[in-house]
Amino acid sequence: MRRVWRGAWVAALLTACGSSERVVPVAAQVIVEPAELGFGRVPVLHSVDRAVRVTNAGRAPVQLEDPRVDAGDGAFDAVLVRGGGPLRAGETREVVVRFTPLSPGAREGTLVLGERGRAEPVARTPVKGLGLPLGIRVSVPSLGFGRIELESEKVRTLVVENVSDVPVTVRTEVVGRADGQFSVAPVRLAPGEARETTITYRPSVVGRVPSAWLGRACPACAPEVVWLDAEGLEQAVVAQPPDVEFGQVALDRGDARALTVRNLSTEPFLLKGAGLGPRADASFSLDASGLPRVLAGGATFSVPARYSPGHAGPSESAAEIHVQSRRHPTTDFQLRAFGGAAELCVSPQGHDFGVRPVGSRTGMEISVRHCGSGNAAPVEVTELSLGSGALRVPGFSLLPPGLPAVLRPGEVLRARLRFEPDGPGPAFASFHLVAAGGVRLSWPVRGEGALHAPCSVKTTPALVDFGLQPPGTTQVLGVKVTNLGADLCAVKDVRVLDAAGGAFLLPGGELEGAVLGPGDAFSFMVGFRSAAGASGPWRGRVGFTQANPAQPEHAVPLEAAVGAPCLGWDPAYVDFGLSRPDCPVARARTRLVNRCGVAHEVRAVSVGPGTTDGEFELETGPVLPLRLGDGESADVVLRYRARVPGMNLSPLFATLTGIDGAVEASLVGESSLESRQVDSWTQVDVGKADVLLVVDNTASMVEEQPRLVAGLSGLLGALAQAGMDARVAVTTTGLIPAGPGCPGGAEGGEAGRLFPADGSLPRWIQVGDPAARAQLERLVQVGRCAQVEAGMEAARLALSPPLADSPDDLRTGLPADGNAGFLRADAALAVIFVSDEDDHSPRPAADYAAFFAGLKGAGQGGRALAHALVPTSSGCSTAGSVGTRWAELVQRSGGQLASSCAQDYAPLLASMAGQVGAPSTRFPLSRPSAPGSLEVRVDGQPVTGWWWDAPTNTVVFNAPPPPGARVEARYERACGGAAP
């Protein structure tokens, strides 16, 4: 469309001074194409140019002025192309109009073309356009990069969306304190498109870098802001703390610490492994079984470290945990410790009271012994407790000694632990010991309560009557408690309820309690003590608590009188000893003596009510009434029938004229039903030997265990040279599990189970097998993780039921961990202990020697010998206390004692293995034999060819029974004979 602008151009003929010329008007015409200019839709702050053609369609030239666009907000602008000079007739020029919307919305204006010198424009053309909104939108207001180690990087994504209808190139930058640590990229977006872009953080400085990402849809557009939060770390996985101090540790003990690392970053790190640094002290060890593992951001992980001093004095070592990090591939620790300290041995280390009736009380003694070497410093025990400093926790109580207590080497401190279930179900507690120098030890205790019917008991006698006693004497009677019910009955707190100022007492002390089966009974002694110069009647009470809520307390009255110092029984305490119902009735004699200076008439002599009436009888006595002059006496013969098992006590009374009260004597006897006795032995085959190595697995066996491995050739060589059918097994001196770092499946607490308890290796070797030495070398490497050497007890458990004859120890969770099959009845037994410290088993060494002596039958101790490779003097720096208990065991057993400080164990082990005895011809009996009752059998059949050596009570064979034969002696125990 063209638009034509018309006007009357008037030309005047100007005459000057009579001129005859005249002005002639000329018509002018300007055409603009297009007649209307539209820009359409243009993004805000974007510019679009459009051109219009201006043509002079008239006859006269037109001098155009600079074009303009009339619009309110300046969104339009116009420029005349090739401006200057008149627009001649028929000539065309271009005017370029630019539309730049400053804000969204419709815009309209007018393109105005003017001529110089004229007020009115020569052309007008309307222009219009629409400003479109231009912008972007981001998905989040902020991005957190967390804390990451220098020289690593973290990439986060951001979604940017074009909210415009036109393509947009987003200009991006990071402002703030980033210092080039962030990398960003421009984003090109189609209309309405949303796209992810990445921001990469590569920290180069330590600390936080508060920054912001700016994105603009156009240079002049307001930016979209995303706040960036990041922090650079010098090291992400750090040691907490880097210095680990074990302090002083005894040579035969070990101590554990945790090497803890914390991931300070927010990113996961791979912990690849752990180890000790170069030139590490062998006293330190790490348990890296939990690695490799991924350590999450902010998390911690600990690697168990153990110090088991193999030598006295200071120890240092470096340790490191390997981390998948470019900057810090290891996290380092420094370990320090000192070998040598005073030791405390607690026995038992943990205890299970088992199932006990609700309302019962069961006690046990806990002993704390200073088991360090003779020159060790004293130890001050400051606390013995249950739980956190408490002496009572539900179900348990502790009776401690006076504290603090200073223990010198060898001294013992004793405490009493009680279990009193107050309800059904299991109960748990921990026994704690605290000593000076930061020593803290603890062990678990447990028990279980069970409900039973309320108790129904009877006490006899109903009244304990001590009769008339001279001043300054002490007399004893008893009380019997019988369970009349059909269920278990728990009785506890047997005590004097009213001591009458100390006159009445329990000679054996207060009794913690007893659990009686239906019909069962027990007796306890009650004493009366009359002070010198005392006189008159005395009354008191003794009693106990029973498991019967309706009648929890049961009391028995006590009576006594003091006077008649010139009258009394001699003896006033008649003890019949141990008797048996099937033996002849035991008899005893006493007499009533008058030293009063005047005669008295004896009116009656009788046995009063006691624990069991009828057990004591008056056999002969004086004809009554009897006048007993001054200095005279009357004899009485008494019988004890011993029909009721247990202890029986009854009073013997004498009533005299002129004396207020009955003069009393106490009768005491004990009955046993034991009669038939069977002793058995197995004849040893001298061609067979079972060897049990009991190896110390405490922390200080750094030097001794390698020596043992090297010396096994001597042991195996001696057995092979003797041509014996020999087998060798191994157990440890550990009784209590020490932790998962111990090999063999029992965590260092084999408690007599052959090593390894989990069956990961053959549990014994056969001498002569080509692989025997290599297998035994692996078996004796039992680890170094236990804390207390209890080798004697471990050997006792290993060689006695149920462990010795069971394929599985049902008391543990490990399958097939019993010792069945190792110990052969017809084989000689050698138990070889290897340790760098004295034994700390709970029983006396003599008890263990008796156990070994009886393993092959009474009197056959030579077939079961105990040997020991242990410290024999104090001159060895790598050993603990001198093995005095080991020496006693070996001396009693007849074995060999050698020093564990020797450099070469081979000849020592060879000598021990070579000590094998001859078959036996003498078999001592365990009890006195009644004449004519002895019968001897071999393999179940009666035999001849033997005789009884009466002075030594020994069965003697003319020729030794064959190897492996089972010898039995059956006989009646002689009356009056007691077990040795």
Side-chain angles (χ1 to χ4, degrees):
M1 177 180 181
R2 57 167 46 176
R3 175 165 294 199
V4 178
W5 293 81
R6 299 180 182 275
W9 292 75
V10 180
L13 295 177
L14 301 176
T15 56
C17 298
S19 172
S20 62
E21 292 182 309
R22 57 187 183 96
V23 176
V24 179
V26 178
Q29 188 177 22
V30 175
I31 300 173
V32 178
E33 293 179 318
E36 186 175 282
L37 189 60
F39 285 86
R41 301 187 303 173
V42 176
V44 171
L45 299 177
H46 279 59
S47 298
V48 175
D49 294 341
R50 296 283 190 270
V52 296
R53 299 176 68 242
V54 179
T55 304
N56 184 358
R59 296 187 296 273
V62 178
Q63 186 69 40
L64 294 176
E65 295 178 337
D66 290 335
R68 71 177 190 276
V69 178
D70 292 336
D73 62 353
F76 297 97
D77 192 14
V79 176
L80 179 63
V81 181
R82 296 189 306 276
L87 181 62
R88 296 179 176 85
E91 186 179 3
T92 299
R93 291 185 183 174
E94 285 187 350
V95 173
V96 176
V97 180
R98 173 169 293 171
F99 176 45
T100 306
L102 302 179
S103 61
R107 299 290 185 275
E108 293 184 356
T110 303
L111 173 64
V112 179
L113 296 175
E115 185 179 7
R116 294 179 184 173
R118 277 183 73 86
E120 291 295 324
V122 296
R124 293 176 183 270
T125 299
V127 295
K128 60 183 179 180
L130 178 64
L132 294 178
L134 180 65
I136 57 174
R137 184 164 52 214
V138 292
S139 55
V140 292
S142 63
L143 285 177
F145 290 82
R147 300 180 298 275
I148 65 175
E149 194 173 80
L150 304 188
E151 299 183 18
S152 59
E153 69 177 30
K154 179 70 174 291
V155 179
R156 297 298 305 273
T157 59
L158 176 70
V159 177
V160 183
E161 181 183 3
N162 181 5
V163 297
S164 306
D165 291 341
V166 295
V168 170
T169 297
V170 181
R171 295 164 175 82
T172 60
E173 63 176 324
V174 174
V175 299
R177 300 178 184 175
D179 297 328
Q181 298 181 82
F182 291 95
S183 300
V184 297
V187 185
R188 295 177 176 82
L189 300 173
E193 181 186 10
R195 181 179 296 177
E196 285 187 348
T197 185
T198 59
I199 305 175
T200 303
Y201 172 51
R202 297 184 182 88
S204 57
V205 295
V206 174
R208 294 189 62 190
V209 284
S211 306
W213 175 91
L214 305 183
R216 290 182 171 86
C218 63
C221 291
E224 286 291 313
V225 179
V226 177
W227 298 104
L228 308 180
D229 186 14
E231 182 178 352
L233 300 173
E234 168 59 33
Q235 183 173 1
V237 180
V238 299
Q240 291 189 332
D243 294 320
V244 179
E245 179 64 57
F246 288 83
Q248 287 188 324
V249 180
L251 290 179
D252 64 345
R253 287 292 189 95
D255 198 5
R257 294 288 188 272
L259 306 188
T260 301
V261 292
R262 179 181 294 276
N263 185 359
L264 299 180
S265 78
T266 52
E267 302 304 303
F269 274 83
L270 176 64
L271 306 182
K272 299 188 293 183
L276 296 172
R279 297 183 299 278
D281 190 319
S283 298
F284 295 100
S285 61
L286 301 183
D287 177 12
S289 58
L291 300 176
R293 69 181 295 128
V294 175
L295 184 64
T300 61
F301 179 73
S302 296
V303 172
R306 188 170 184 82
Y307 172 61
S308 306
H311 60 83
S315 296
E316 290 191 7
S317 187
E320 54 192 28
I321 295 180
H322 307 295
V323 184
Q324 192 171 23
S325 166
R326 293 176 55 189
R327 188 174 183 86
H328 295 283
T330 63
T331 300
D332 301 323
F333 295 84
Q334 185 67 35
L335 313 181
R336 296 183 179 85
F338 188 91
E343 302 174 63
L344 291 176
C345 296
V346 179
S347 179
Q349 294 187 357
H351 186 70
D352 186 350
F353 285 92
V355 180
R356 309 297 295 173
V358 172
S360 66
R361 174 186 291 163
T362 306
M364 63 166 295
E365 184 178 81
I366 296 176
S367 64
V368 181
R369 182 163 62 96
H370 187 325
C371 53
S373 56
N375 60 353
V379 179
E380 182 181 29
V381 179
T382 59
E383 179 183 321
L384 296 174
S385 63
L386 291 170
S388 301
L391 297 181
R392 293 184 179 273
V393 298
F396 298 93
S397 60
L398 182 68
L399 304 178
L403 296 176
V406 177
L407 296 180
R408 293 172 177 80
E411 293 182 339
V412 179
L413 188 67
R414 305 184 191 278
R416 193 75 180 169
L417 177 64
R418 290 174 170 174
F419 175 52
E420 299 179 71
D422 51 7
F428 304 91
S430 294
F431 169 72
H432 297 283
L433 179 148
V434 179
V439 177
R440 292 181 177 272
L441 306 174
S442 64
W443 291 271
V445 292
R446 74 175 307 276
E448 184 173 349
L451 288 174
H452 293 273
C455 280
S456 174
V457 301
K458 175 184 178 181
T459 53
T460 51
L463 166 69
V464 179
D465 186 358
F466 287 90
L468 182 64
Q469 299 292 335
T473 61
T474 299
Q475 193 59 291
V476 175
L477 288 173
V479 175
K480 182 177 182 179
V481 182
T482 304
N483 179 12
L484 301 179
D487 200 353
L488 296 179
C489 173
V491 174
K492 64 181 180 182
D493 282 338
V494 180
R495 64 200 185 279
V496 177
L497 301 176
D498 181 358
F504 296 104
L505 68 151
L506 296 182
E510 294 187 0
L511 304 180
E512 287 181 324
V515 176
L516 303 176
D520 287 348
F522 77 96
S523 299
F524 61 91
M525 290 184 174
V526 182
F528 173 69
R529 181 170 48 208
S530 61
S535 62
W538 300 83
R539 290 181 175 83
R541 289 183 307 136
V542 67
F544 52 85
T545 302
Q546 61 179 349
N548 186 338
Q551 186 185 357
E553 299 293 334
H554 196 107
V556 178
L558 309 174
E559 288 187 359
V562 178
C566 55
L567 280 170
W569 292 96
D570 183 19
Y573 185 83
V574 182
D575 188 357
F576 288 84
L578 180 66
S579 299
R580 206 173 71 209
D582 57 335
C583 289
V585 173
R587 289 174 170 80
R589 182 186 301 271
T590 186
R591 60 179 182 162
L592 182 65
V593 181
N594 178 12
R595 299 186 182 90
C596 297
V598 296
H600 288 280
E601 183 179 284
V602 181
R603 301 183 59 186
V605 175
S606 62
V607 177
T611 55
T612 304
D613 292 342
E615 284 292 273
F616 299 99
E617 296 177 335
L618 186 65
E619 184 172 274
T620 62
V623 178
L624 302 177
L626 171 66
R627 183 181 183 277
L628 196 63
D630 179 35
E632 295 181 340
S633 64
D635 287 355
V636 173
V637 176
L638 298 150
R639 299 191 304 173
Y640 174 48
R641 302 185 64 182
R643 294 171 302 181
V644 178
M647 184 176 62
N648 291 286
L649 302 98
S650 293
L652 174 65
F653 292 123
T655 305
L656 297 91
T657 57
I659 301 298
D660 187 11
V663 180
E664 189 264 350
S666 295
L667 311 179
V668 181
E670 186 174 358
S671 176
S672 170
L673 295 175
E674 183 182 2
S675 172
R676 189 66 176 165
Q677 184 72 27
V678 178
D679 293 339
S680 63
W681 308 265
T682 299
Q683 176 68 296
V684 171
D685 184 345
V686 294
K688 292 183 179 180
D690 298 330
V691 179
L692 178 63
L693 288 170
V694 184
V695 182
D696 188 341
N697 64 335
T698 60
S700 57
M701 290 287 289
V702 176
E703 291 82 12
E704 291 78 7
Q705 286 187 4
R707 293 175 192 164
L708 174 60
V709 172
L712 292 175
S713 59
L715 174 70
L716 297 176
L719 294 172
Q721 185 176 6
M724 301 188 72
D725 172 11
R727 54 178 55 169
V728 184
V730 178
T731 190
T732 72
T733 60
L735 299 183
I736 305 298
C742 304
E747 299 188 349
E750 278 68 26
R753 288 174 287 174
L754 298 183
F755 182 89
D758 60 7
S760 55
L761 295 172
R763 301 183 69 204
W764 62 76
I765 62 100
Q766 185 70 37
V767 175
D769 187 327
R773 179 171 177 178
Q775 291 177 352
L776 188 57
E777 286 179 352
R778 297 175 66 189
L779 286 179
V780 299
Q781 297 186 46
V782 294
R784 298 184 294 109
C785 52
Q787 292 187 349
V788 176
E789 296 92 341
M792 296 184 194
E793 180 68 9
R796 185 190 71 82
L797 294 172
L799 301 172
S800 57
L803 200 55
D805 52 14
S806 300
D808 183 34
D809 187 350
L810 299 179
R811 300 165 296 182
T812 73
L814 284 176
D817 59 343
N819 297 347
F822 168 70
L823 186 64
R824 295 173 291 182
D826 59 344
L829 174 67
V831 183
I832 302 176
F833 299 93
V834 183
S835 177
D836 70 340
E837 171 65 277
D838 202 3
D839 179 71
H840 304 307
S841 297
R843 307 184 187 195
D847 289 357
Y848 294 107
F851 168 77
F852 291 125
L855 273 175
K856 299 300 178 180
Q860 298 295 290
R863 308 283 74 76
L865 297 179
H867 310 278
L869 259 172
V870 296
T872 56
S873 66
S874 59
C876 180
S877 63
T878 62
S881 57
V882 176
T884 54
R885 282 171 54 85
W886 295 122
E888 180 184 355
L889 171 68
V890 169
Q891 188 273 329
R892 289 177 177 270
S893 168
Q896 297 183 29
L897 181 71
S899 174
S900 60
C901 296
Q903 295 300 311
D904 187 0
Y905 285 5
L908 306 177
L909 292 171
S911 178
M912 294 174 182
Q915 188 176 347
V916 178
S920 295
T921 58
R922 299 177 62 87
F923 298 87
L925 303 182
S926 62
R927 299 287 189 271
S929 172
S933 67
L934 183 59
E935 177 189 4
V936 177
R937 298 187 177 196
V938 175
D939 291 331
Q941 300 299 318
V943 296
T944 59
W946 59 271
W947 57 282
W948 179 45
D949 182 9
T952 60
N953 196 31
T954 300
V955 173
V956 183
F957 282 86
N958 297 327
R966 184 168 181 81
V967 180
E968 285 185 351
R970 303 183 179 190
Y971 57 94
E972 294 290 331
R973 185 169 65 83
C975 288

